[in-house]
Amino acid sequence: MDFPTHLFETAADWENETERLGASVWRVSPVNERCDISTSLSKYIVVPCKLLDHDLKKTFAHFNQWRIPRLSWHHPSGSDLLRSAGFQTNTDPDKENVKAIKSLLFANHSQCVIVDMNEELPTVSDLQTSYIKLRGLCLNDPSTSVSDEKWFSNLDSTHWLDHVRICLKKACDISLLLCDRRLSVVLQEPDDRDMNCVMTSLVQVISDPHARTLSGFQSLVQKEWVSAGHPFMQRINLYRHTDKEDSPMFLLLLDCVWQLMHQFPSTFEFTESYLIALQDSIYNPFCSSFMHNCQWDRVRGSQRHSFSQTYTPIIGWQDIVREKIFLKGDYKAREERNTSPPTVWEWGLFYSHLHRQQFRNPLYQTQEHTVLNGNGILHNSNKLEATSPSIFLLSKGFLIPQSPLFPWKSGTVSKKNNRRAQSLENLLEDDRQLKFKSNIDASSAPGDLLQPLCFGPWVRLWKRCYLRCDMEKQIHTPPPTLVDLAKEVKSLQEKLRNHHINSKHNINGVARSSIR
């Protein structure tokens, strides 16, 4: 690989990540190593150390698709970001099960904030409807053609930029919450496979400088999308089995990241060219990364779609890819041929050396990454912990206390409560709890934290991505490199020179004839 990337297919990858984060009170559990508990989950999950696998197994049945709360990221201040599916509505856990579930959600903290991904954020169908309108507008579809003076109003009517804006704002709220308090934040989505992927990735890009490097971002995509079980086959729908589940979730993430890059150009190691290459790669049938819905599909070889993982060419996948792509000059054959299709991160198979050089940002300023030990205290050193466990719902910038803690019968966290909704910026707890205020603002926030402007003209159309030809029809045609353009200019100059010489000879010949 051009840039070292953790694939999160082995326990070692997960252990390296928890060590990097300094998550000392978390451990890598192999409870789903055979994918026999949840087929859509990864083989290994990160859970609190104090929770044994015996107790952990009791919690799976109480969450949709058996996707329990698990660690996504650990903040240097000690806060934890978790992701989870929604509660199962037809279960009634006993005391022991509730105790184990409580250990998962609170994750060694006395406060837990649940963020409902169904609120405010676009749904799968909303995003697809918006994208169809945007695509028709940008590709100048005759059926949706509009005059130039109405183009921008039609762009607004697609609501695509609204979706991008809302996602950025939500990710910023979560990031501020994580760095201001010591608590657990659980992102909860009914199936935990779409918007959770977007939001966990965005929060880490905003909060963690490592996620803004080439290696870090690729590892992030592997962890929060590929390994986490995003249904790429349905959302990308490369083989056009059905149009009912299409949705550009991954494109939404890349668009949000591009917005951040536009506002903070020197904080990212990669470039716009890299993001576009990554977006184009989701249509590449020769890579295994986005051709499966989960790790179980990847390992066993699903027969549900026409791309069969059970077939391995005699000469190996690497040679097949080389012949199909007709790559010249930069490719070096390996001594050991891989028996499985390559990952998308093996850029050398599909892009020239000069093209890959465009992936690196020359303005990038290398930062000294904070040593994540989990015990650091940031700007808000006077934090006070609540004396009893409390759970809140983050809703439209407010923290709403929840009672009871686990509303199993409703299947989701209740927003109805006789206690007053409390602002995220000024949380006042009742007599049984302690009182503290948020000290987060633009001047006191950690230097590593990106705080983008998410309103008005600051969120703009990603022109280079959308205002181009239909990528699905030009999957294998990479854009010209600077060398290609230089060769074309040189060729044109040579033709002009020859034409000038020939014209000069013709003029001289005519002149001699007239003299005679």
Side-chain angles (χ1 to χ4, degrees):
M1 297 182 186
D2 292 79
F3 316 109
T5 304
H6 290 306
L7 300 181
F8 292 95
E9 294 178 348
T10 64
D13 284 346
W14 290 97
E15 289 169 355
N16 289 336
E17 178 69 1
T18 54
E19 183 178 354
R20 183 189 73 82
L21 295 173
S24 57
V25 295
W26 295 84
R27 67 180 180 89
V28 178
S29 171
V31 67
N32 194 47
E33 191 169 24
R34 294 184 296 178
C35 298
D36 52 350
I37 298 180
S38 174
T39 57
S40 64
L41 268 183
S42 59
K43 290 182 177 182
Y44 306 96
I45 55 177
V46 183
V47 297
C49 288
K50 64 181 182 181
L51 191 60
L52 301 179
D53 284 349
H54 173 73
D55 299 320
L56 184 63
K57 290 179 180 179
K58 300 176 182 178
T59 65
F60 281 89
H62 304 296
F63 294 89
N64 294 335
Q65 295 191 18
W66 298 273
R67 296 176 67 89
I68 62 173
R70 60 212 183 275
L71 181 70
S72 278
W73 185 65
H74 179 75
H75 194 278
S77 69
S79 295
D80 295 299
L81 177 68
L82 291 79
R83 60 183 295 175
S84 165
F87 297 121
Q88 272 282 8
T89 59
N90 57 352
T91 62
D92 188 16
D94 56 25
K95 280 188 177 181
E96 289 300 317
N97 290 357
V98 168
K99 183 179 179 181
I101 294 168
K102 191 174 179 180
S103 297
L104 278 177
L105 289 174
F106 281 84
N108 308 299
H109 300 285
S110 60
Q111 291 183 331
C112 171
V113 176
I114 291 183
V115 185
D116 186 1
M117 293 291 104
N118 277 348
E119 184 185 75
E120 300 179 79
L121 298 171
T123 64
V124 170
S125 58
D126 290 340
L127 202 60
Q128 177 64 5
T129 301
S130 179
Y131 178 66
I132 290 175
K133 294 179 181 178
L134 175 67
R135 180 176 172 178
L137 184 65
C138 292
L139 294 180
N140 197 22
D141 188 345
S143 61
T144 59
S145 60
V146 295
S147 58
D148 291 345
E149 58 268 18
K150 293 184 178 180
W151 199 90
F152 285 103
S153 61
N154 279 48
L155 175 62
D156 289 338
S157 67
T158 66
H159 298 296
W160 179 263
L161 294 182
D162 293 332
H163 297 329
V164 173
R165 189 177 295 110
I166 290 171
C167 289
L168 286 172
K169 180 63 171 63
K170 196 77 166 181
C172 288
D173 288 345
I174 296 170
S175 300
L176 288 171
L177 191 60
L178 283 167
C179 70
D180 188 43
R181 300 193 177 94
R182 214 166 164 172
L183 41 66
S184 69
V185 178
V186 183
L187 307 187
Q188 192 171 54
E189 184 185 20
D191 292 334
D192 180 37
R193 302 183 70 179
D194 287 298
M195 192 51 69
N196 265 5
C197 298
V198 176
M199 207 51 54
T200 53
S201 302
L202 267 183
V203 170
Q204 292 175 66
V205 170
I206 289 173
S207 305
D208 189 355
H210 177 70
R212 303 194 284 268
T213 64
L214 279 160
S215 295
F217 187 73
Q218 292 184 172
S219 298
L220 177 67
V221 172
Q222 278 290 142
K223 180 178 68 170
E224 302 296 352
W225 291 79
V226 179
S227 180
H230 177 66
F232 282 105
M233 292 302 296
Q234 281 72 41
R235 300 297 177 255
I236 298 172
N237 197 13
L238 185 62
Y239 299 107
R240 296 289 177 238
H241 288 167
T242 176
D243 294 332
K244 294 182 179 180
E245 298 180 281
D246 289 23
S247 189
M249 282 288 171
F250 191 63
L251 177 59
L252 177 64
L253 168 69
L254 298 183
D255 197 329
C256 291
V257 172
W258 179 83
Q259 303 289 342
L260 295 171
M261 288 174 56
H262 188 76
Q263 295 191 34
F264 306 95
S266 63
T267 60
F268 288 84
E269 186 183 11
F270 47 88
T271 63
E272 181 183 29
S273 296
Y274 171 82
L275 292 180
I276 290 178
L278 184 54
Q279 163 62 14
D280 295 345
S281 297
I282 67 176
Y283 300 105
N284 190 341
F286 301 107
C287 293
S288 62
S289 302
F290 304 135
M291 291 295 108
H292 308 273
N293 289 336
C294 59
Q295 199 167 8
W296 184 84
D297 279 350
R298 191 170 293 103
V299 171
R300 305 222 179 162
S302 175
Q303 299 298 322
R304 289 175 295 175
H305 38 75
S306 59
F307 183 82
S308 173
Q309 298 92 256
T310 59
Y311 168 71
T312 301
I314 296 176
I315 61 174
W317 276 106
Q318 305 293 346
D319 290 344
I320 289 292
V321 170
R322 178 174 55 179
E323 293 172 11
K324 293 289 184 182
I325 305 301
F326 299 106
L327 193 62
K328 297 180 180 179
D330 188 58
Y331 180 81
K332 294 182 179 179
R334 297 184 177 186
E335 294 181 2
E336 296 183 2
R337 291 171 176 167
N338 196 349
T339 58
S340 61
T343 66
V344 71
W345 315 120
E346 299 182 59
W347 297 107
L349 291 173
F350 311 100
Y351 292 89
S352 68
H353 175 70
L354 290 172
H355 198 154
R356 299 198 306 275
Q357 284 184 322
Q358 298 176 28
F359 291 172
R360 288 189 180 276
N361 180 13
L363 301 178
Y364 174 66
Q365 297 177 359
T366 305
Q367 301 179 9
E368 291 292 334
H369 295 176
T370 305
V371 178
L372 306 182
N373 55 23
N375 300 316
I377 298 297
L378 298 179
H379 57 282
N380 194 5
S381 58
N382 60 344
K383 289 188 176 73
L384 296 175
E385 297 290 343
T387 55
S388 60
S390 53
I391 191 166
F392 301 87
L393 174 70
L394 177 61
S395 175
K396 298 180 180 180
F398 289 85
L399 290 173
I400 303 175
Q402 297 298 301
S403 179
L405 294 183
F406 307 110
W408 297 108
K409 297 300 181 182
S410 63
T412 184
V413 178
S414 173
K415 299 176 189 176
K416 296 181 179 179
N417 198 288
N418 56 5
R419 298 173 64 186
R420 180 172 58 87
Q422 304 175 41
S423 169
L424 177 62
E425 297 299 326
N426 184 16
L427 176 61
L428 300 176
E429 304 184 20
D430 65 11
D431 296 338
R432 293 174 299 157
Q433 299 170 324
L434 298 178
K435 172 182 175 182
F436 65 94
K437 295 183 180 182
S438 170
N439 292 332
I440 276 285
D441 57 34
S443 60
S444 62
D448 292 341
L449 183 70
L450 303 183
Q451 299 184 79
L453 297 173
C454 306
F455 56 86
W458 292 100
V459 176
R460 56 187 65 190
L461 181 68
W462 187 6
K463 297 178 182 178
R464 188 175 168 188
C465 179
Y466 302 121
L467 299 179
R468 57 178 181 155
C469 295
D470 190 349
M471 195 57 224
E472 294 180 22
K473 297 178 181 178
Q474 300 188 17
I475 295 174
H476 305 305
T477 306
T481 64
L482 292 176
V483 173
D484 295 332
L485 293 175
K487 288 180 180 179
E488 187 174 353
V489 170
K490 187 176 180 180
S491 174
L492 291 173
Q493 288 175 339
E494 188 68 27
K495 290 179 181 179
L496 286 173
R497 189 180 299 109
N498 292 336
H499 178 73
H500 178 71
I501 293 174
N502 293 335
S503 299
K504 191 174 182 180
H505 286 165
N506 292 336
I507 293 173
N508 291 337
V510 171
R512 291 192 192 97
S513 299
S514 61
I515 292 174
R516 292 175 184 174

